[in-house]
Amino acid sequence: MNIVIRSAGAADLGAIMRIERAGFTPAEAASEASMAERIAKIPDTFLVAESAGQVVGFIVGPAISARYLTDDLFDHLTVNRDADKCVAVLSIAVDPATRGQGLGTALLTAFAKQAQKQHRELISLTCLERLVPYYAKHGYVNEGVADSQHAGEVWYNMVLSLA
């Protein structure tokens, strides 16, 4: 599979929402309005994976000043600021038809490279317990249960140092 990773644009919203809804429960998934806001406000940290002209995965998250992401970021965010040394992953998802082909790894790698170009020191994300080993395999360190109440789930803080 030939993959191109690029910044998301407004025309990608339909495909992004289809993938988001396939990857998350209705309570966990972002709304279309939230995803459109992310495309508009943080296109430099909203990457899509494209194959044969079709979006097959994405990763998105804002620059933040804190070590861990907070639940309010799922609903509203501001433009990325150069002064923020961390970037938080709000969502990473791959089309179910293309899973197991390394797209998640490619997206995580591209996101880290973009963060390094922006002089970020850390990537932070939260994940469910079943995904802790996946992120650990990619260098993320489990820093325990997150304060997040998102979707009524138990989330774990995972951190990747870029320094």
Side-chain angles (χ1 to χ4, degrees), residues 55-119:
V55 174
V56 292
F58 68 90
I59 187 169
V60 58
I64 59 174
S65 60
R67 185 172 187 83
Y68 304 123
L69 67 100
T70 53
D71 285 351
D72 62 308
L73 294 172
F74 289 108
D75 295 317
H76 299 287
L77 47 85
T78 59
V79 296
N80 291 332
R81 297 177 304 203
D82 291 341
D84 291 332
K85 295 302 175 192
C86 303
V87 64
V89 176
L90 295 178
S91 187
I92 177 172
V94 173
D95 187 313
T98 59
R99 288 185 186 151
Q101 299 180 42
L103 287 175
T105 297
L107 286 163
L108 287 169
T109 300
F111 196 77
K113 286 181 182 176
Q114 179 69 358
Q116 288 172 318
K117 282 184 199 172
Q118 296 175 341
H119 308 288

Side-chain angles (χ1 to χ4, degrees), residues 138-154:
H138 291 89
Y140 286 76
V141 175
N142 181 355
E143 295 192 349
V145 175
D147 289 337
S148 177
Q149 301 297 310
H150 185 67
E153 301 275 2
V154 176

Side-chain angles (χ1 to χ4, degrees), residues 24-29 71 126-130 145-156:
F24 297 96
T25 68
E28 294 168 350
D71 285 351
T126 58
C127 69
L128 299 172
E129 185 175 22
R130 66 181 168 78
V145 175
D147 289 337
S148 177
Q149 301 297 310
H150 185 67
E153 301 275 2
V154 176
W155 300 92
Y156 289 82

